[in-house]
Amino acid sequence: MKTAFVAAISACLVCAPAGAYDWPVSVPTVVATFGQGVGGRFGYGVSIVGGGTEVRPIAGGEVVFAYDPARRSASVPRGPGAQVVIEHVERVRSVYSHLAPSTVTRLAVVSGSTAIGSIGDSGTALGPTLGLQVLDLETRSFLNPLMVLPLLRDAQPPVVVRTLIRRAEAMLELGKVGSATPGNAEILVEAYDLREDVPYRWRLVPYSFTVSVNGRQTLSVVFESRRYDEARLLVGAGRTAASVLRDAWLFSLGEIQLQLGETHLQLLVRDYAGNESSREYFLSIKG
Amino acid sequence: MGTVDTPSRARPLPLAIVLVIAYVIVFPNRAGHEIVVRAAWSTSIGLPSRLTGSSAVVHGFRLGDAFGYVDPSGILLRLEAVFHDVAFDDGHYANYSKGSEAIVVRSWDGGITASLRGSRWPLLLDRTPDALMMFAPDLLGFGEFAMDGTARWDRELGSLITCYAAFPEAVAGGLPRCVVGTLDGTVRIIGRDGADLLRVDSAGSRIAGSYGCAVSDDGRLVALFLGLDPQRLVMLNRADGTYRELWSRDMAQEVRSERIAVFSGDSRYLLIETGDGIDVREARGRRTWSVACGGALYAVATVGAEVVAETRQEDGSGELTVLVLPDLVVGRADVGVIAEGGRYLAGYDGYVLHGSAGHIGRLDVLRL
């Protein structure tokens, strides 16, 4: 199951054959994943730590924008700090933020082995962190970099803290209640992912959440990509990011219909390496 | 933060500590006037400072890790350490740290004007005391906020903001609020209600992108740099309440960053950064002049019909060039090696404030 899932993710390399892109640093330690933002904003890329580490592009291409505060002024306060944007073949762009000033490349064309800067803490970064985003100009989407870069293997499954259903204003924790009344119910999950290569308990957003009701997949949230002119995750449900990310590590997966009788709920949370955590709940729906 | 004690007075003329050459240049320009460039005063900036005093006219400046206010005669009125960055104009400032949960706007003398919650970074609207622009930390959105913290409008643009210019506030006639360009090559002229009045894109160029924008002092002209291969300069003109293309040119030199471009004070010319100086173009005509300067252009300040440009060499040394438009160089001054962020240039009526190497000074540009 896990092998098949990993293969499926590898096959989903968008806009490039598998293996076309590589990590921008030699040893990528990811401390924030797609969806994980700052100040309540949706995070459109990943954050990689490693102060002073040389940064290379994920593939060769053309530098289409660069900003180095050591050499240029700017008309706006630049939160991303020192930055390079590279356009690759098939109209995919990669964005590298929070680079160290004075290290930003001045080249117009770079290969996959060209140094384009060093990891710094310019802009809003509170510590040495590389911000990496991947853009698909054809679909006008922010792609999840973890979907186009080589798989980072780890064996640690996501952590599911609790699963809740919300009926009207009441919040019920599944596993602690055995019954509910019929009607619409919102499913919320408090969960996060951990990685073995981060030597401290650093939480990451999981890759996907799936809810099955009585054996039928009913709800699904997948952090795959996000169109930047429609403000929604490409999950097929037309939901905005704000409606999914309710609070730190609390995700709203959508609504289900609770019908009279016995209901079997199965929750499946997956991370990018294919590790899974599942929970099963049984509810008696009574009028 | 400085506290009240005694005023810091400017020395009459620098002993070439900052401006290596403080000299008087007299050149007749084409109209027969003599142009005199004179270093009026220079004062050292050293933190911490204990300052006092007030003035009807104050000028804000930022120099390296310090910012402050000085009056036109050279009295340093306020000096503070920059937390992470500071937004300021000649009346207010907002000094903020990286992880600020609130932006505090103060008047130049330190009095609190407003406190706005949120993690956005500010840009003060020049001479607009009741509002400021706030930019999202990822530069994918921005908005105009009143000083009480309420959003007058708030936009998510979905693409990285690469350039921005505000329309003048004081000109009557219902001008737009600003021009903003994004990485996907879209430039928007945004109205006072936050809605798009006009959208222009970089179609026609192989690479989409926005690489600079400028608005004339009268608000009637807007210059845009769009795309790569080719990079086009598009001049928009206001007519019948809308902006339409007046002309466009392919740039001989492409700049893959936000390009410096400034209109002259009389809106007759557009000054454009090139690799080794400035191009001066007629805003409504076809003529162009190239002015070689010492190094890459870093900042430009207009002083009436004259221009002061600051350039930087690869070794970090800087030079000031005084230019009578369109292309008559009337003075140059070596300003020594510039530390990172340690420079400032702003133009006023008849003079510029210039900062480098720990000093802020005034250069008078006089037309006799």
Side-chain angles (χ1 to χ4, degrees):
Chain A
M1 176 71 169
K2 178 177 174 179
T3 303
F5 178 73
V6 168
I9 289 209
S10 297
C12 285
L13 291 173
V14 180
C15 296
Y21 302 122
D22 198 3
W23 287 93
V25 295
S26 302
V27 182
T29 302
V30 176
V31 293
T33 51
F34 194 78
Q36 210 163 334
V38 176
R41 290 182 66 81
F42 189 93
Y44 291 96
V46 296
S47 297
I48 300 167
V49 294
T53 303
E54 182 178 275
V55 176
R56 298 178 303 274
I58 63 174
E62 194 170 346
V63 176
V64 298
F65 185 80
Y67 170 67
D68 188 342
R71 285 198 292 268
R72 290 198 158 265
S73 54
S75 58
V76 295
R78 297 200 69 87
Q83 195 173 41
V84 174
V85 181
I86 295 173
E87 184 162 318
H88 311 286
V89 296
E90 296 171 342
R91 300 203 0 113
V92 171
R93 290 184 173 181
S94 54
V95 183
Y96 310 82
S97 304
H98 309 301
L99 298 172
S102 302
T103 71
V104 174
T105 184
R106 300 194 212 187
L107 300 175
V109 178
V110 294
S111 71
S113 60
T114 307
I116 59 171
S118 300
I119 295 182
D121 62 355
S122 57
T124 57
L126 295 176
T129 312
L130 172 68
L132 172 65
Q133 297 172 342
V134 180
L135 314 176
D136 178 355
L137 299 180
E138 291 295 333
T139 60
R140 295 179 62 78
S141 300
F142 286 94
L143 304 180
N144 187 339
L146 293 172
M147 304 302 297
V148 300
L149 293 170
L151 196 64
L152 291 179
R153 300 194 180 276
D154 89 291
Q156 194 149 2
V159 175
V160 179
V161 178
R162 54 181 179 155
T163 307
L164 306 165
I165 58 171
R166 190 171 70 85
R167 290 290 324 277
E169 296 307 315
M171 200 79 83
L172 308 173
E173 184 172 343
L174 294 178
K176 292 189 176 177
V177 298
S179 63
T181 54
N184 286 346
E186 182 184 12
I187 305 293
L188 299 105
V189 177
E190 184 177 351
Y192 53 86
D193 190 27
L194 297 173
R195 288 193 55 84
E196 296 160 341
D197 59 347
V198 182
Y200 37 86
R201 195 173 178 83
W202 196 269
R203 300 182 181 188
L204 304 167
V205 171
Y207 169 64
S208 70
F209 299 81
T210 306
V211 172
S212 299
V213 180
N214 295 333
R216 193 164 70 92
Q217 182 174 312
T218 307
L219 300 175
S220 177
V221 172
V222 182
F223 287 88
E224 205 157 48
S225 59
R226 180 178 176 186
R227 287 183 62 89
Y228 50 73
D229 60 353
E230 292 183 13
R232 63 178 69 180
L233 289 168
L234 282 184
V235 297
R239 300 187 58 207
T240 65
S243 72
V244 172
L245 301 174
R246 288 304 182 84
D247 201 353
W249 313 113
L250 185 66
F251 302 88
S252 169
L253 306 188
E255 286 194 346
I256 61 173
Q257 184 71 235
L258 295 176
Q259 297 180 334
L260 289 171
E262 298 301 314
T263 296
H264 173 216
L265 285 170
Q266 184 182 23
L267 168 70
L268 196 61
V269 183
R270 284 198 179 108
D271 68 11
Y272 292 93
N275 302 301
E276 297 174 349
S277 289
S278 63
R279 297 287 185 273
E280 288 188 85
Y281 308 99
F282 295 89
L283 276 177
S284 292
I285 309 302
K286 302 171 183 175
Chain B
M1 182 179 298
T3 56
V4 173
D5 193 1
T6 55
S8 170
R9 294 197 177 275
R11 295 180 176 78
L13 276 177
L15 298 174
I17 294 174
V18 174
L19 299 176
V20 174
I21 301 172
Y23 59 88
V24 175
I25 305 293
V26 177
F27 268 92
N29 70 5
R30 292 188 178 84
H33 298 289
E34 292 182 349
I35 304 297
V36 174
V37 180
R38 182 183 68 194
W41 51 259
S42 172
T43 190
S44 65
I45 305 298
L47 290 165
S49 293
R50 298 165 69 83
L51 305 168
T52 187
S54 64
S55 175
V57 178
V58 297
H59 297 318
F61 67 90
R62 160 103 187 251
L63 196 59
D65 295 332
F67 81 97
Y69 287 86
V70 65
D71 81 355
S73 70
I75 298 175
L76 188 61
L77 299 168
R78 184 162 202 88
L79 192 67
E80 286 189 27
V82 177
F83 297 155
H84 167 68
D85 203 350
V86 59
F88 66 94
D89 61 18
D90 282 347
H92 302 81
Y93 67 91
N95 191 8
Y96 57 95
S97 57
K98 278 200 184 195
S100 289
E101 293 289 330
I103 298 298
V104 179
V105 182
R106 297 175 183 269
S107 57
W108 74 267
D109 58 2
I112 293 178
T113 301
S115 178
L116 292 82
R117 291 187 60 79
S119 57
R120 294 184 170 213
W121 284 4
L123 185 69
L124 298 187
L125 289 169
D126 194 26
R127 294 182 288 275
T128 303
D130 64 343
L132 71 164
M133 306 302 285
M134 298 279 273
F135 290 80
D138 53 20
L139 274 186
L140 296 176
F142 78 122
E144 182 178 337
F145 288 72
M147 288 296 182
D148 62 3
T150 57
R152 290 182 176 175
W153 51 267
D154 199 2
R155 295 284 304 270
E156 290 292 334
L157 303 182
S159 184
L160 186 79
I161 294 171
T162 52
C163 56
Y164 166 91
F167 279 82
E169 183 67 22
V171 177
L175 289 177
R177 169 58 80 203
C178 63
V179 182
V180 63
T182 48
L183 184 64
D184 62 356
T186 303
V187 176
R188 296 170 169 85
I189 294 182
I190 293 178
R192 304 258 158 175
D193 59 355
D196 288 353
L197 298 178
L198 179 70
R199 286 175 69 151
V200 182
D201 62 35
S202 55
S205 297
R206 180 175 60 86
I207 300 285
S210 306
Y211 297 93
C213 54
V215 176
S216 60
D217 281 0
D218 60 6
R220 300 191 63 82
L221 293 168
V222 178
L224 310 173
F225 293 89
L226 299 170
L228 291 174
D229 192 16
Q231 186 164 84
R232 287 189 305 137
L233 167 59
V234 177
M235 186 68 73
L236 305 178
N237 177 58
R238 182 179 175 89
D240 300 323
T242 63
Y243 288 85
R244 298 191 183 91
E245 182 174 316
L246 189 61
W247 51 260
S248 68
R249 306 272 189 278
D250 290 352
M251 299 299 295
Q253 276 188 2
E254 295 188 338
V255 175
R256 296 173 187 250
S257 300
E258 183 179 3
R259 195 163 193 155
I260 298 172
V262 173
F263 281 93
S264 60
D266 58 6
S267 304
R268 286 182 61 194
Y269 303 101
L270 178 69
L271 290 78
I272 304 165
E273 165 197 357
T274 63
D276 57 0
I278 307 173
D279 271 0
V280 180
R281 289 180 179 253
E282 286 184 323
R284 297 179 182 277
R286 301 177 67 86
R287 289 190 293 173
T288 302
W289 300 264
S290 292
V291 180
C293 301
L297 188 66
Y298 187 83
V300 175
T302 57
V303 185
E306 286 73 48
V307 167
V308 179
E310 181 164 16
T311 54
R312 185 177 185 270
Q313 302 273 17
E314 283 298 322
D315 63 1
S317 60
E319 183 177 277
L320 290 182
T321 301
V322 183
L323 176 68
V324 176
L325 295 172
D327 64 346
L328 181 63
V329 175
V330 297
R332 297 187 192 274
D334 183 350
V335 294
V337 177
I338 308 297
E340 181 178 318
R343 69 179 71 202
Y344 182 74
L345 187 68
Y348 296 94
D349 186 11
Y351 59 92
V352 295
L353 280 192
H354 175 257
S356 66
H359 288 74
I360 191 80
R362 170 174 155 171
L363 273 181
D364 290 345
V365 182
L366 306 172
R367 181 178 283 248
L368 302 181

